[in-house]
Amino acid sequence: MTVKGCLFDFSGTIFRVEPTARWLRAALSMAGIEATDEEITRYAARLEEVGALPGGAAPKAVPQALARLWGERDIDAERHRAAYVGIARGAELPWPQLYDVLYERHMAPAAWQPYPDTAEVLGALKERGLAVGVLSNIGWDLRPVLRAYGVDGLVDTEVLSFEENVQKPDPRIFRIACDRLGLAPQDVLMVGDSAQHDGGATAIGCAFLQVDHLPADRRPDGLRPVLDLVG
């Protein structure tokens, strides 16, 4: 196939969310709450265990009462917030006012970091004349994050599940994204960290490249194989 355009997942693919302990510290600061280092270590571990950080580790177990909501969390903003706040409550923090603050913090550009090769690869694709899009299962607008790190101008379109009311791996969202690029699916490469979700693009004829969902400092060049595939 001749690749004429690329779609990139957001979290774990071109950007990585901050570590859980830093997320918790930032939320505590936002709420004006003082906590000891020991408390932050302990409760960050609890938040990690329940999978409370969007873009972080997945829950080891989803409570039955939240199972349906969790499975549909990326369809709209209300479900996304309710799912993650509900999951976070399982950490049983001593600061009940913090759950909503934690959710607000994760949407801040400061909570995210681009992978070291994100700008390089997106820029190279644009220079080669390829169409570039971001296709994300998400419950909030990631465009301010792209702007904050100066990569918004390297992206032609953003297709966000909560705006389309459909989430990956549903074929409909991949068709929407290809249409936004103005390309047939067989001319598009989907790049993402999840074979289950991002790999769903193959159902409509897109090619798929999986990258490792690792901290940014442990994946310096995970996107560069894209450039080899597009020629």
Side-chain angles (χ1 to χ4, degrees):
M1 66 178 287
T2 300
V3 176
K4 299 178 181 177
C6 292
L7 291 167
F8 291 87
D9 174 51
F10 173 66
S11 176
T13 299
I14 58 173
F15 276 79
R16 172 75 182 206
V17 75
E18 65 190 339
T20 307
R22 188 175 125 188
W23 175 52
L24 176 56
R25 284 184 185 276
L28 288 166
S29 178
M30 289 167 65
I33 297 172
E34 293 187 3
T36 65
D37 288 343
E38 188 277 331
E39 286 176 317
I40 290 171
T41 299
R42 177 168 16 121
Y43 289 112
R46 287 194 188 181
L47 289 165
E48 186 92 12
E49 174 78 16
V50 300
L53 175 58
K60 295 187 177 178
V62 176
Q64 186 60 38
L66 290 173
R68 180 173 179 178
L69 180 63
W70 185 256
E72 301 173 341
R73 66 191 181 278
D74 295 314
I75 290 177
D76 59 54
E78 292 75 18
R79 288 183 225 197
H80 194 270
R81 177 184 285 271
Y84 276 102
V85 170
I87 284 286
R89 290 187 188 280
E92 298 181 340
L93 303 180
W95 315 286
Q97 69 273 40
L98 202 64
Y99 298 112
D100 284 309
V101 182
L102 283 165
Y103 187 83
E104 292 297 325
R105 165 63 187 184
H106 102 273
M107 296 185 287
W112 294 87
Q113 179 182 3
Y115 281 92
D117 56 349
T118 291
E120 172 193 344
V121 170
L122 296 182
L125 292 172
K126 294 300 293 178
E127 287 177 3
R128 297 182 189 187
L130 275 74
V132 175
V134 173
L135 170 55
S136 177
N137 276 358
I138 199 166
W140 49 278
D141 187 0
L142 57 77
R143 295 176 185 91
V145 178
L146 302 182
R147 287 196 295 270
Y149 292 94
V151 299
D152 55 315
L154 305 176
V155 175
D156 299 301
T157 189
E158 299 89 7
V159 178
L160 312 182
S161 61
F162 84 102
E163 293 180 339
E164 307 300 334
N165 302 122
V166 61
Q167 60 189 26
K168 298 177 285 186
D170 191 312
R172 290 177 293 171
I173 198 165
F174 296 109
R175 290 194 183 97
I176 290 168
C178 290
D179 288 345
R180 297 272 177 85
L181 293 181
L183 296 172
Q186 59 266 29
D187 295 327
V188 175
L189 171 67
M190 177 73 213
V191 183
D193 65 302
S194 170
Q196 176 186 358
H197 295 109
D198 303 311
T202 60
I204 67 165
C206 297
F208 171 58
L209 174 66
Q210 186 170 1
V211 296
D212 293 325
H213 187 147
L214 293 170
D217 60 355
R218 291 176 53 198
R219 209 197 75 191
D221 54 5
L223 293 173
R224 289 190 183 132
V226 173
L227 301 181
D228 296 328
L229 288 174
V230 303

